[in-house]
Amino acid sequence: LPAGLSQWFPALEVLDVSGTGLAEMGAELLSLPCLHTLLAKNNRLGGPGSLPKGLGQAPLARSLRVLNLSGNRFAEVPPALLQLRGLRSLSLGGNRLHSIPPDIQELRSLEFLYLGGNFITSIPPELAKLPSLKYLVLCDNKIQSIPPQLAQLHSLRSLSLHNNLLTYLPREILNLVHLEELSLRGNPLVVRFVRDLTYNPPSLQELAGRTIKTRNVPYAPSDLPETLVRYLSLASNCPNPKCGGVYFDSCVRQIKFVDFCGKYRLPLMHYLCSPECSSPFSSASQSSTSQSSTSQSESDSEDEASVAAHRMQKVLLG
């Protein structure tokens, strides 16, 4: 940055130095007490000395509201940025980040966080301690799981997770009732389960237990060993309304697209007692393979729609 910047523009509020080949920002930046927006996209920032020393203690740390450092070369979130307690918008997309520091929780005024297009593999639970966060963009990374704590982001309106490596969703994500946008495309969470849908034949014990339960065969604790009485108490009802059967250990996993808040359809896992029960839901797996939830929506029968919603929301996808 040019020397004397603060002398020439002492009341500067917005500074855009994007696409200038900038490799470092000098101490002149610290003496801009009115600066609230700093845009430094698509430069060469990221090496030692890219940011001025004392950034967290300068007046800028209190005045800065918007900081965009996307398209640079940062391999980690600079610790100095975590001292900018007045930040409301932070963009570090298209860098070389491999992780999100737990101290991100210090940016408690943050409303917009863009970390897309990096190499991030996990999300720290501390991220859920940002009470004002409304927009969280983590697309195009290598994230494999979502911490259930993310459901504590009660202000969240938009969550972008597309093009990651997600293989399951925690059911807690259903608690984000204020979400208006949820992007999940380009993840293996559906394809993986379609590929791995297997059915192990039930054991003789399970077959006998199913018969007792479905035919209402009477028994008393004195008739059976305690272990079998306990086993029979663990029967799960098949959610297929046309079946009425039960299962214990052997079941068929199925993907079901469930309406969520009336805004989009969320893929969740549920369980059926046998392959014969999968026929009413077969379109779910077909739509999962093609990643088309619209066809599944059109093929849902009235009987399927009558399945209690809480049964669908109790399961984890994975």
Side-chain angles (χ1 to χ4, degrees):
L1 295 179
L5 183 64
S6 60
Q7 298 177 2
W8 299 336
F9 307 103
L12 190 66
E13 296 183 355
V14 179
L15 176 61
D16 188 350
V17 290
S18 301
T20 58
L22 197 66
E24 64 179 56
M25 291 187 285
E28 283 296 317
L29 189 67
L30 304 180
S31 52
L32 295 172
C34 300
L35 191 69
H36 61 71
T37 299
L38 174 58
L39 310 177
K41 302 179 293 181
N42 304 323
N43 283 300
R44 295 185 291 121
L45 299 168
S50 292
L51 301 179
K53 293 182 180 180
L55 179 61
Q57 290 73 43
L60 184 67
R62 295 185 295 273
S63 66
L64 200 60
R65 298 290 180 266
V66 177
L67 177 60
N68 193 326
L69 296 173
S70 292
N72 280 282
R73 303 176 181 180
F74 289 101
E76 62 179 15
V77 178
L81 298 189
L82 304 178
Q83 300 178 43
L84 303 177
R85 305 298 169 82
L87 271 186
R88 295 176 184 170
S89 175
L90 175 61
S91 299
L92 280 164
N95 277 274
R96 302 171 182 177
L97 305 179
H98 284 78
S99 63
I100 304 173
D103 286 344
I104 194 78
Q105 64 181 312
E106 301 298 331
L107 302 179
R108 298 186 63 81
S109 298
L110 209 58
E111 299 178 4
F112 178 91
L113 179 59
Y114 190 105
L115 297 173
N118 282 287
F119 303 95
I120 298 168
T121 57
S122 63
I123 303 173
E126 290 81 3
L127 188 62
K129 297 181 179 180
L130 298 176
S132 303
L133 196 63
K134 296 180 180 178
Y135 302 92
L136 177 58
V137 182
L138 296 168
C139 61
D140 300 291
N141 278 286
K142 298 183 181 298
I143 298 169
Q144 301 181 38
S145 64
I146 303 299
Q149 290 87 348
L150 231 57
Q152 299 170 15
L153 292 172
H154 301 301
S155 298
L156 203 62
R157 297 292 184 270
S158 177
L159 177 58
S160 296
L161 295 166
H162 53 272
N163 299 331
N164 276 285
L165 301 176
L166 295 173
T167 55
Y168 72 93
L169 289 176
R171 71 175 178 86
E172 286 84 357
I173 202 169
L174 295 172
N175 295 328
L176 296 174
V177 295
H178 297 297
L179 270 184
E180 298 172 357
E181 297 177 350
L182 174 63
S183 178
L184 293 169
R185 68 182 186 276
N187 282 282
L189 77 172
V190 173
V191 176
R192 169 186 173 234
F193 287 113
V194 171
R195 184 184 68 240
D196 293 344
L197 289 182
T198 58
Y199 178 68
N200 296 320
S203 64
L204 291 177
Q205 176 176 284
E206 174 148 354
L207 288 173
R210 290 187 180 196
T211 300
I212 291 173
K213 285 293 186 179
T214 55
R215 297 187 179 182
N216 294 317
V217 176
Y219 65 91
S222 58
D223 299 330
L224 299 171
E226 182 181 349
T227 54
L228 291 181
V229 173
R230 189 181 307 114
Y231 178 79
L232 289 171
S233 69
L234 299 176
S236 298
N237 294 319
C238 182
N240 184 352
K242 297 181 179 179
C243 171
V246 300
Y247 65 89
F248 294 87
D249 303 312
S250 182
C251 59
V252 176
R253 296 183 297 175
Q254 277 283 358
I255 297 293
K256 172 77 171 180
F257 283 88
V258 181
D259 285 323
F260 181 38
C261 295
K263 299 182 179 71
Y264 43 81
R265 299 176 67 79
L266 190 66
L268 295 177
M269 183 71 76
H270 68 158
Y271 302 91
L272 302 167
C273 68
S274 71
E276 286 74 19
C277 283
S278 64
S279 55
F281 299 91
S282 59
S283 57
S285 60
Q286 293 170 2
S287 65
S288 301
T289 307
S290 64
Q291 296 185 343
S292 170
S293 61
T294 304
S295 61
Q296 169 60 16
S297 177
E298 295 171 351
S299 66
D300 280 346
S301 67
E302 292 300 321
D303 286 336
E304 291 175 77
S306 67
V307 177
H310 74 275
R311 290 190 59 81
M312 302 302 300
Q313 295 179 2
K314 278 184 178 179
V315 296
L316 299 179
L317 183 57

